[in-house]
Coordinates of all heavy atoms in Angstrom, one line a residue:
M1 N 17.8 -2.1 30.3 CA 17.5 -0.8 29.6 C 17.2 -1.1 28.2 O 17.9 -1.8 27.5 CB 18.6 0.2 29.8 CG 18.4 1.5 29.2 SD 19.9 2.6 29.5 CE 19.6 3.8 28.2
F2 N 16.1 -0.5 27.7 CA 15.7 -0.7 26.3 C 16.6 0.2 25.4 O 16.4 1.4 25.3 CB 14.3 -0.4 26.0 CG 13.9 -0.6 24.6 CD1 13.7 -1.9 24.1 CD2 13.6 0.5 23.8 CE1 13.3 -2.0 22.8 CE2 13.2 0.3 22.5 CZ 13.1 -0.9 22.0
N3 N 17.6 -0.5 24.8 CA 18.5 0.3 24.0 C 19.1 -0.5 22.9 O 20.3 -0.6 22.7 CB 19.7 0.9 24.9 CG 20.4 2.0 24.3 OD1 20.0 2.6 23.3 ND2 21.6 2.2 24.7
A4 N 18.2 -1.2 22.2 CA 18.6 -2.2 21.2 C 19.3 -1.5 20.0 O 20.2 -2.1 19.4 CB 17.4 -3.0 20.7
R5 N 18.9 -0.2 19.7 CA 19.4 0.4 18.6 C 19.9 1.8 18.9 O 19.3 2.6 19.7 CB 18.4 0.5 17.4 CG 18.0 -0.9 17.0 CD 17.0 -0.9 15.9 NE 16.5 -2.2 15.8 CZ 17.0 -3.1 14.9 NH1 17.9 -2.8 14.1 NH2 16.4 -4.3 14.9
H6 N 21.1 2.2 18.3 CA 21.6 3.5 18.6 C 21.3 4.4 17.4 O 21.9 4.2 16.4 CB 23.1 3.4 18.9 CG 23.4 2.6 20.1 ND1 23.6 3.1 21.3 CD2 23.6 1.2 20.2 CE1 23.9 2.2 22.2 NE2 23.9 1.0 21.5
N7 N 20.5 5.4 17.7 CA 20.5 6.5 16.6 C 19.9 7.7 17.3 O 19.7 7.7 18.6 CB 19.6 6.1 15.5 CG 18.2 5.7 15.9 OD1 17.6 6.4 16.7 ND2 17.6 4.6 15.4
N8 N 19.8 8.8 16.6 CA 19.4 10.1 17.2 C 17.9 10.3 17.2 O 17.4 11.3 17.5 CB 20.1 11.2 16.4 CG 21.6 11.1 16.5 OD1 22.1 10.8 17.6 ND2 22.3 11.5 15.5
N9 N 17.2 9.2 16.8 CA 15.8 9.4 16.6 C 14.9 8.8 17.7 O 13.7 8.8 17.6 CB 15.3 8.7 15.3 CG 16.0 9.4 14.1 OD1 16.2 10.6 14.1 ND2 16.3 8.6 13.1
E10 N 15.6 8.5 18.8 CA 14.9 7.8 19.9 C 13.6 8.6 20.4 O 12.6 8.0 20.7 CB 15.8 7.6 21.1 CG 16.7 6.3 20.9 CD 17.7 6.2 22.0 OE1 17.3 6.5 23.2 OE2 18.8 5.9 21.7
N11 N 13.7 9.9 20.4 CA 12.7 10.7 21.0 C 11.8 11.3 19.9 O 10.9 12.1 20.1 CB 13.2 11.8 21.9 CG 14.0 11.2 23.1 OD1 13.6 10.2 23.7 ND2 15.1 11.8 23.4
K12 N 12.0 10.8 18.7 CA 11.2 11.3 17.6 C 10.1 10.3 17.1 O 10.2 9.2 17.5 CB 12.1 11.7 16.4 CG 13.1 12.8 16.8 CD 14.1 13.2 15.7 CE 15.1 14.2 16.1 NZ 16.0 14.5 15.1
V13 N 9.3 10.9 16.2 CA 8.2 10.0 15.8 C 8.2 10.2 14.2 O 8.3 11.3 13.7 CB 6.9 10.4 16.3 CG1 5.7 9.6 15.7 CG2 6.8 10.2 17.8
L14 N 8.1 9.1 13.5 CA 8.0 9.2 12.1 C 6.6 9.7 11.7 O 5.5 9.2 12.1 CB 8.2 7.9 11.4 CG 8.1 7.9 9.9 CD1 9.2 8.7 9.3 CD2 8.0 6.5 9.3
T15 N 6.5 10.8 11.0 CA 5.3 11.5 10.7 C 5.1 11.6 9.2 O 6.0 11.8 8.5 CB 5.3 12.9 11.2 OG1 5.6 12.9 12.6 CG2 3.9 13.6 11.1
V16 N 3.9 11.3 8.7 CA 3.6 11.4 7.3 C 2.9 12.7 7.0 O 1.9 13.0 7.6 CB 2.7 10.2 6.8 CG1 2.4 10.3 5.3 CG2 3.2 8.9 7.1
K17 N 3.6 13.5 6.2 CA 3.0 14.8 5.8 C 2.1 14.5 4.6 O 2.5 14.6 3.5 CB 4.1 15.8 5.4 CG 5.1 16.1 6.6 CD 4.5 16.8 7.7 CE 5.5 17.1 8.8 NZ 4.9 17.6 10.0
I18 N 0.9 14.3 4.9 CA -0.1 14.0 3.9 C -0.2 15.0 2.7 O -0.3 14.7 1.6 CB -1.5 13.7 4.5 CG1 -1.3 12.4 5.4 CG2 -2.5 13.4 3.4 CD1 -2.6 12.1 6.1
N19 N 0.0 16.3 3.1 CA -0.2 17.3 2.1 C 1.0 17.3 1.1 O 0.9 17.9 0.0 CB -0.2 18.7 2.8 CG -1.5 18.9 3.6 OD1 -2.5 18.1 3.4 ND2 -1.5 19.8 4.5
R20 N 2.1 16.7 1.5 CA 3.3 16.8 0.7 C 3.2 15.5 -0.3 O 4.0 15.5 -1.2 CB 4.6 16.7 1.5 CG 4.8 18.0 2.3 CD 6.3 18.0 2.7 NE 7.2 18.2 1.6 CZ 7.6 19.3 1.2 NH1 7.3 20.4 1.8 NH2 8.5 19.4 0.2
C21 N 2.4 14.5 0.0 CA 2.4 13.3 -0.8 C 1.4 13.5 -1.9 O 0.2 13.8 -1.7 CB 2.0 12.1 0.1 SG 1.8 10.6 -0.8
P22 N 1.8 13.3 -3.1 CA 0.8 13.5 -4.3 C -0.2 12.4 -4.4 O -1.2 12.6 -5.0 CB 1.8 13.5 -5.5 CG 3.1 12.9 -5.1 CD 3.2 13.1 -3.5
Q23 N 0.0 11.3 -3.6 CA -0.9 10.2 -3.6 C -1.4 9.7 -5.0 O -2.6 9.6 -5.2 CB -2.1 10.6 -2.7 CG -1.7 11.1 -1.3 CD -2.8 11.5 -0.4 OE1 -3.8 10.7 -0.3 NE2 -2.8 12.7 0.1
N24 N -0.4 9.6 -5.9 CA -0.8 9.1 -7.2 C 0.2 8.1 -7.7 O 0.4 7.9 -8.9 CB -0.8 10.3 -8.2 CG 0.6 11.0 -8.3 OD1 1.6 10.5 -7.7 ND2 0.6 12.0 -9.0
H25 N 0.9 7.4 -6.8 CA 1.9 6.4 -7.2 C 2.1 5.4 -6.0 O 1.8 5.7 -4.9 CB 3.2 7.1 -7.6 CG 3.8 7.8 -6.5 ND1 3.3 9.1 -6.1 CD2 4.8 7.6 -5.6 CE1 4.0 9.6 -5.0 NE2 4.9 8.7 -4.7
P26 N 2.7 4.2 -6.4 CA 3.1 3.4 -5.3 C 4.3 4.0 -4.5 O 5.2 4.4 -5.1 CB 3.6 2.1 -6.1 CG 3.1 2.2 -7.4 CD 3.0 3.7 -7.7
C27 N 4.1 4.1 -3.2 CA 5.1 4.8 -2.4 C 6.5 4.0 -2.4 O 6.5 2.9 -2.0 CB 4.6 4.8 -1.0 SG 5.9 5.5 0.2
P28 N 7.5 4.6 -2.9 CA 8.8 3.9 -2.9 C 9.4 3.6 -1.6 O 10.2 2.7 -1.4 CB 9.7 4.9 -3.7 CG 9.1 6.2 -3.6 CD 7.6 6.0 -3.4
S29 N 9.0 4.4 -0.6 CA 9.6 4.2 0.8 C 9.0 2.9 1.4 O 9.6 2.4 2.3 CB 9.2 5.4 1.7 OG 9.9 6.5 1.1
V30 N 7.9 2.5 1.1 CA 7.3 1.3 1.6 C 8.2 0.1 1.5 O 8.4 -0.6 2.4 CB 5.9 1.0 1.0 CG1 5.4 -0.5 1.4 CG2 4.9 2.0 1.3
K31 N 8.9 0.1 0.3 CA 9.8 -1.1 0.0 C 11.1 -1.0 0.7 O 11.8 -2.1 0.9 CB 10.1 -1.1 -1.5 CG 8.9 -1.4 -2.3 CD 9.3 -1.9 -3.7 CE 8.1 -2.0 -4.7 NZ 7.9 -0.8 -5.4
V32 N 11.5 0.1 1.2 CA 12.9 0.2 1.8 C 12.8 0.0 3.3 O 13.8 -0.2 4.0 CB 13.5 1.6 1.5 CG1 13.7 1.8 0.1 CG2 12.9 2.7 2.2
C33 N 11.6 0.0 3.9 CA 11.5 -0.2 5.3 C 11.9 -1.6 5.7 O 11.4 -2.6 5.2 CB 10.1 0.1 5.8 SG 9.9 -0.3 7.6
P34 N 12.9 -1.8 6.5 CA 13.5 -3.1 6.9 C 12.5 -3.9 7.8 O 12.7 -5.1 8.0 CB 14.8 -2.7 7.7 CG 14.6 -1.4 8.2 CD 13.6 -0.7 7.2
V35 N 11.5 -3.3 8.4 CA 10.6 -3.9 9.3 C 9.2 -3.9 8.9 O 8.3 -4.2 9.7 CB 10.8 -3.4 10.7 CG1 12.2 -3.7 11.3 CG2 10.5 -2.0 10.8
N36 N 8.9 -3.5 7.6 CA 7.6 -3.5 7.1 C 6.6 -2.6 8.0 O 5.4 -3.0 8.2 CB 7.0 -4.9 7.1 CG 7.3 -5.5 5.7 OD1 7.2 -4.9 4.7 ND2 7.6 -6.8 5.8
A37 N 7.1 -1.5 8.4 CA 6.3 -0.6 9.2 C 5.5 0.3 8.4 O 4.5 0.9 8.9 CB 7.2 0.2 10.1
L38 N 5.7 0.4 7.1 CA 4.9 1.3 6.3 C 4.0 0.5 5.4 O 4.4 -0.6 4.8 CB 5.9 2.1 5.3 CG 6.6 3.3 5.9 CD1 7.6 3.8 4.9 CD2 5.7 4.3 6.4
S39 N 2.8 0.9 5.3 CA 1.9 0.3 4.4 C 1.1 1.3 3.6 O 1.0 2.5 4.0 CB 0.9 -0.6 5.1 OG 0.2 0.2 6.1
Q40 N 0.6 0.9 2.5 CA -0.1 1.8 1.6 C -1.3 1.2 1.0 O -1.4 0.0 0.6 CB 0.8 2.3 0.4 CG 0.2 3.4 -0.5 CD 1.1 3.7 -1.6 OE1 1.8 2.9 -2.1 NE2 1.0 4.9 -2.1
K41 N -2.5 1.9 1.1 CA -3.7 1.4 0.5 C -3.9 2.1 -0.8 O -4.0 3.4 -0.8 CB -4.8 1.7 1.5 CG -6.1 0.8 1.3 CD -7.2 1.2 2.3 CE -7.1 0.6 3.6 NZ -8.2 1.0 4.5
G42 N -3.9 1.4 -1.9 CA -4.0 2.0 -3.2 C -2.9 3.0 -3.4 O -1.7 2.7 -3.1
F43 N -3.2 4.2 -3.8 CA -2.2 5.2 -3.9 C -2.3 6.3 -2.8 O -1.7 7.4 -2.9 CB -2.3 6.0 -5.2 CG -1.8 5.1 -6.4 CD1 -2.1 5.5 -7.8 CD2 -1.1 4.0 -6.3 CE1 -1.6 4.7 -8.9 CE2 -0.7 3.2 -7.3 CZ -0.9 3.6 -8.6
D44 N -3.0 5.9 -1.8 CA -3.1 6.8 -0.6 C -1.7 7.1 0.0 O -0.7 6.4 -0.3 CB -3.9 6.2 0.6 CG -5.4 6.2 0.2 OD1 -5.8 6.7 -0.9 OD2 -6.1 5.6 1.0
A45 N -1.5 8.1 0.8 CA -0.2 8.3 1.5 C 0.0 7.1 2.4 O -0.9 6.6 2.9 CB -0.4 9.6 2.3
P46 N 1.3 6.8 2.6 CA 1.5 5.6 3.4 C 1.2 5.8 4.9 O 1.1 7.0 5.3 CB 3.1 5.5 3.2 CG 3.6 6.8 2.8 CD 2.5 7.4 2.1
V47 N 1.0 4.8 5.5 CA 0.6 4.8 7.0 C 1.7 4.1 7.7 O 2.3 3.1 7.3 CB -0.7 4.0 7.2 CG1 -1.0 3.9 8.7 CG2 -1.8 4.8 6.5
V48 N 2.1 4.7 8.9 CA 3.2 4.1 9.7 C 2.6 3.3 10.8 O 1.7 3.7 11.5 CB 4.0 5.3 10.4 CG1 5.2 4.7 11.0 CG2 4.3 6.3 9.4
D49 N 3.1 2.1 11.0 CA 2.8 1.3 12.2 C 3.9 1.7 13.2 O 5.0 1.2 13.2 CB 2.8 -0.2 11.8 CG 2.4 -1.1 13.0 OD1 2.6 -0.6 14.2 OD2 2.0 -2.2 12.8
Q50 N 3.5 2.5 14.2 CA 4.5 3.0 15.2 C 5.0 1.9 16.0 O 6.1 2.0 16.6 CB 3.9 4.1 16.0 CG 3.4 5.3 15.2 CD 4.5 6.2 14.6 OE1 5.7 5.9 14.9 NE2 4.2 7.1 13.8
Q51 N 4.3 0.8 16.2 CA 4.7 -0.3 17.0 C 5.9 -1.0 16.3 O 6.7 -1.6 17.0 CB 3.6 -1.3 17.2 CG 2.3 -0.7 17.8 CD 2.5 -0.3 19.2 OE1 3.3 -0.9 20.0 NE2 1.7 0.7 19.7
K52 N 5.9 -1.0 15.0 CA 6.9 -1.8 14.3 C 8.1 -0.8 14.0 O 9.2 -1.3 13.9 CB 6.4 -2.2 12.9 CG 5.5 -3.4 13.0 CD 5.2 -3.9 11.6 CE 4.1 -5.0 11.6 NZ 3.7 -5.3 10.2
C53 N 7.9 0.5 13.8 CA 8.9 1.4 13.3 C 10.1 1.4 14.3 O 9.9 1.7 15.5 CB 8.3 2.8 13.1 SG 9.5 4.0 12.7
I54 N 11.3 1.2 13.8 CA 12.5 1.3 14.6 C 13.2 2.6 14.5 O 14.3 2.8 14.9 CB 13.4 0.1 14.4 CG1 13.8 0.1 12.8 CG2 12.8 -1.2 14.8 CD1 14.9 -0.9 12.5
K55 N 12.6 3.6 13.8 CA 13.1 4.9 13.6 C 14.5 5.0 12.9 O 15.3 5.8 13.3 CB 13.1 5.7 14.9 CG 11.7 5.7 15.6 CD 11.8 6.3 17.0 CE 10.4 6.2 17.6 NZ 10.3 7.0 18.9
C56 N 14.7 4.2 12.0 CA 15.9 4.1 11.3 C 16.1 5.3 10.3 O 17.2 5.6 10.0 CB 16.1 2.8 10.6 SG 15.0 2.6 9.2
G57 N 15.0 5.8 9.9 CA 15.1 7.0 9.0 C 15.3 6.7 7.5 O 15.4 7.6 6.7
K58 N 15.3 5.4 7.2 CA 15.5 5.0 5.7 C 14.5 5.7 4.8 O 14.7 6.2 3.8 CB 15.6 3.6 5.5 CG 16.9 2.9 5.7 CD 16.9 1.5 5.2 CE 18.3 0.8 5.5 NZ 18.2 -0.6 5.2
C59 N 13.3 5.4 5.3 CA 12.1 5.9 4.4 C 12.2 7.5 4.3 O 11.8 8.0 3.2 CB 10.8 5.5 5.0 SG 10.6 6.1 6.7
V60 N 12.6 8.2 5.3 CA 12.7 9.6 5.3 C 13.6 10.0 4.2 O 13.4 11.0 3.4 CB 13.2 10.2 6.6 CG1 13.5 11.6 6.5 CG2 12.2 9.8 7.7
R61 N 14.8 9.3 4.1 CA 15.8 9.7 3.0 C 15.3 9.3 1.6 O 15.7 9.8 0.6 CB 17.1 9.0 3.3 CG 17.8 9.5 4.6 CD 19.2 9.0 4.7 NE 19.3 7.6 4.8 CZ 19.3 7.0 6.0 NH1 19.1 7.7 7.1 NH2 19.4 5.6 6.1
F62 N 14.4 8.3 1.5 CA 14.0 7.8 0.3 C 12.8 8.6 -0.4 O 12.7 8.6 -1.6 CB 13.5 6.3 0.4 CG 14.0 5.4 -0.6 CD1 15.4 5.0 -0.6 CD2 13.2 5.0 -1.7 CE1 15.8 4.1 -1.6 CE2 13.7 4.2 -2.7 CZ 15.0 3.8 -2.6
C63 N 12.0 9.2 0.4 CA 10.9 9.9 -0.2 C 11.3 11.2 -0.9 O 11.7 12.1 -0.2 CB 9.8 10.3 0.9 SG 8.5 11.2 0.2
P64 N 11.1 11.3 -2.2 CA 11.6 12.4 -3.0 C 10.7 13.7 -2.7 O 11.2 14.8 -2.9 CB 11.4 12.0 -4.4 CG 10.4 10.9 -4.4 CD 10.6 10.3 -3.1
M65 N 9.6 13.5 -2.2 CA 8.7 14.6 -1.9 C 8.8 15.1 -0.4 O 8.2 16.1 0.0 CB 7.2 14.2 -2.0 CG 6.9 13.7 -3.4 SD 7.3 14.9 -4.7 CE 6.1 16.2 -4.3
R66 N 9.7 14.5 0.3 CA 9.9 14.8 1.8 C 8.6 14.7 2.5 O 8.4 15.6 3.4 CB 10.6 16.1 1.9 CG 11.9 16.1 1.1 CD 12.9 17.2 1.5 NE 13.1 17.2 3.0 CZ 13.7 18.2 3.6 NH1 14.0 19.4 3.0 NH2 13.8 18.1 4.9
A67 N 7.8 13.8 2.2 CA 6.5 13.6 2.9 C 6.7 12.8 4.2 O 5.8 12.8 5.0 CB 5.6 12.9 2.0
L68 N 7.8 12.2 4.4 CA 8.0 11.4 5.6 C 9.1 12.2 6.4 O 10.2 12.5 5.9 CB 8.6 10.0 5.3 CG 7.6 9.1 4.6 CD1 8.2 7.9 3.9 CD2 6.5 8.6 5.6
R69 N 8.7 12.4 7.6 CA 9.6 13.2 8.5 C 9.8 12.6 9.8 O 8.9 12.1 10.4 CB 9.0 14.7 8.8 CG 8.8 15.5 7.5 CD 10.1 16.0 6.9 NE 9.8 16.9 5.8 CZ 9.5 18.2 5.9 NH1 9.4 18.7 7.2 NH2 9.3 18.9 4.9
M70 N 11.0 12.7 10.3 CA 11.3 12.2 11.7 C 11.4 13.5 12.5 O 12.3 14.2 12.4 CB 12.6 11.4 11.7 CG 12.9 10.6 12.9 SD 11.8 9.2 13.1 CE 12.3 8.1 11.8
E71 N 10.5 13.6 13.4 CA 10.5 14.9 14.2 C 9.9 14.7 15.5 O 9.3 13.8 15.8 CB 9.8 16.0 13.4 CG 8.4 15.7 12.9 CD 7.9 16.8 12.0 OE1 8.6 17.4 11.3 OE2 6.7 16.9 12.1
Ligands
SF4_101 S1 11.9 5.0 9.9 FE1 12.8 3.0 9.3 S2 11.6 1.5 10.5 FE2 10.4 3.4 10.5 S3 9.0 3.3 8.8 FE3 10.9 4.4 8.1 S4 12.1 2.7 7.2 FE4 10.6 1.8 8.5

């Protein structure tokens, strides 16, 4: 059974709320991701690599604009 990590986000997907992101700064959440699942081109809103994301929720807690949501 695939159950490497225990958290409440198994059935959720990390979503970037582009409208909430001011897209005018280096995304602070990119640096906190333990598996490099977030990337940013210029000051664009960050992009999630869903294959890499382990749904730990760190980036969600880090974004002051609440542009990253686990839902
Ligand atoms: S939820 Fe965790 S693994 Fe997924 S992008 Fe955010 S920090 Fe990275």
Side-chain angles (χ1 to χ4, degrees):
M1 184 178 160
F2 179 73
N3 195 18
R5 296 182 193 261
H6 297 267
N7 60 45
N8 297 322
N9 298 326
E10 281 174 39
N11 299 318
K12 298 180 181 175
V13 175
L14 180 67
T15 308
V16 181
K17 302 290 182 189
I18 294 177
N19 293 343
R20 295 196 67 91
C21 178
Q23 303 181 56
N24 62 3
H25 60 284
C27 173
S29 295
V30 169
K31 294 197 187 91
V32 304
C33 177
V35 294
N36 273 319
L38 284 175
S39 59
Q40 185 183 29
K41 203 184 275 182
F43 287 168
D44 287 356
V47 173
V48 190
D49 183 334
Q50 301 289 355
Q51 305 291 333
K52 287 187 186 173
C53 178
I54 56 172
K55 304 180 185 184
C56 68
K58 268 191 185 172
C59 58
V60 174
R61 295 194 293 274
F62 224 78
C63 176
M65 301 305 293
R66 304 197 56 194
L68 293 162
R69 300 286 186 83
M70 192 69 70
E71 55 189 30

